[in-house]
Amino acid sequence: MNGRFITFEGFTFQPDSESDVPDIENMQVIGFSKGLDINEAFVNLQKSNKYLKDTSFDEIIGIELKDKKFSYFNLK
């Protein structure tokens, strides 16, 4: 099982932004990991990314990726 891990914590800046204030409040991708289930995938994510303990992220959401179907979009 593949897992994707995200958080609602954090902010991002648009490309070429010169502002000190974040432009967008959104979700951040924390990482991707594999395991027998989402819990094992989360443990594996932490093992392979030890720096996560030092971040200010607190609440992480795990999403199981069950199929390999992708859709690609272009904003321009």
Side-chain angles (χ1 to χ4, degrees):
M1 190 282 315
N2 292 317
R4 174 182 297 154
F5 296 90
I6 60 174
T7 184
F8 284 106
E9 300 170 341
F11 299 91
T12 58
F13 294 86
Q14 293 185 50
D16 302 321
S17 176
E18 295 181 18
S19 173
D20 292 337
V21 178
D23 297 315
I24 301 171
E25 182 178 346
N26 60 7
M27 297 166 64
Q28 307 293 316
V29 174
I30 300 300
F32 303 88
S33 186
K34 294 182 180 183
L36 295 176
D37 58 27
I38 197 68
N39 295 316
E40 183 177 294
F42 182 66
V43 170
N44 292 336
L45 176 78
Q46 292 178 81
K47 285 181 183 176
S48 62
N49 298 281
K50 302 241 184 244
Y51 69 90
L52 289 173
K53 295 247 183 210
D54 297 326
T55 67
S56 62
F57 295 122
D58 186 40
E59 186 175 297
I60 295 176
I61 300 162
I63 302 169
E64 290 185 29
L65 302 177
K66 296 186 184 223
D67 61 31
K68 298 193 180 217
K69 214 169 164 182
F70 296 97
S71 296
Y72 296 91
F73 302 94
N74 189 335
L75 291 174
K76 300 291 177 193

